[in-house]
Amino acid sequence: MARTAAILICDREELFRETLMNFLLTAGYQQIALATTVKEALRLLHQNQFNYVLIGNTRQLSLARRLKMVAQRLQPQARIVCMKSAWLQAFDGTICQSIILKERIYESLLEVFEASA
C-alpha cells in the first residue's frame, strides 16, 4: 500500500540512512529524501515539503537545534523525530516532538507515524 507522507532523513551514518530508507520503502512510503549533513537537510527543507523530519545524531547539539527550528518555521505541519543511539545522550525532550532509539527504530517508527497521522 502506497503512503503519501514525505519523509526527510538526516543522519551521518550512510548504512543506517540507507537501511531506514529501505525499511520505509517496504512499508509503502515512496517520498523519502536523504541528507548526510544538517546543511544538506536545510537545503532540502527549503526545496521540498515534508510530513516527517527524522534527525539523527549530529556532532554538535546546536546543529540539531538549528535544523529543528528551521524545519518548524518552514514546515510547521511536519513532525520532528529525533533518532539517537542508546550510548549517546545528545538529545533532550526540548529539541524534538519524539525521540526514538536507533536500536529500536524499526519496532517503533511506524507507530509514531500512525499516532501523528
Side-chain angles (χ1 to χ4, degrees):
M1 169 174 74
R3 300 176 191 234
T4 59
I7 302 166
L8 170 60
I9 301 170
C10 179
D11 193 273
R12 294 179 308 177
E13 299 173 30
E14 180 180 7
L15 180 59
F16 178 77
R17 279 191 323 272
E18 297 290 330
T19 304
L20 183 54
M21 180 184 69
N22 288 333
F23 171 77
L24 292 169
L25 287 169
T26 301
Y29 293 94
Q30 298 176 350
Q31 299 175 23
I32 303 168
L34 302 178
T36 304
T37 64
V38 170
K39 182 177 181 179
E40 187 178 352
L42 292 170
R43 181 182 55 76
L44 289 167
L45 284 167
H46 279 91
Q47 296 174 347
N48 305 288
Q49 290 293 311
F50 295 99
N51 301 93
Y52 300 98
V53 178
L54 309 181
I55 303 173
N57 299 322
T58 63
R59 297 186 196 282
Q60 298 175 352
L61 187 55
S62 62
L63 291 175
R65 282 193 178 112
R66 179 171 177 230
L67 178 55
K68 180 225 176 204
M69 288 186 325
V70 171
Q72 286 181 321
R73 183 174 43 84
L74 292 175
Q75 303 185 30
Q77 82 291 348
R79 180 162 183 97
I80 312 298
V81 178
C82 288
M83 307 174 295
K84 72 173 215 145
S85 296
W87 55 274
L88 288 177
Q89 299 301 318
F91 292 124
D92 61 34
T94 63
I95 294 179
C96 296
Q97 296 161 326
S98 299
I99 298 175
I100 297 177
L101 292 176
K102 283 183 167 183
E103 292 81 1
R104 301 195 59 136
I105 197 156
Y106 304 109
E107 300 167 22
S108 53
L109 184 60
L110 296 180
E111 292 174 13
V112 169
F113 285 2
E114 290 170 10
S116 66

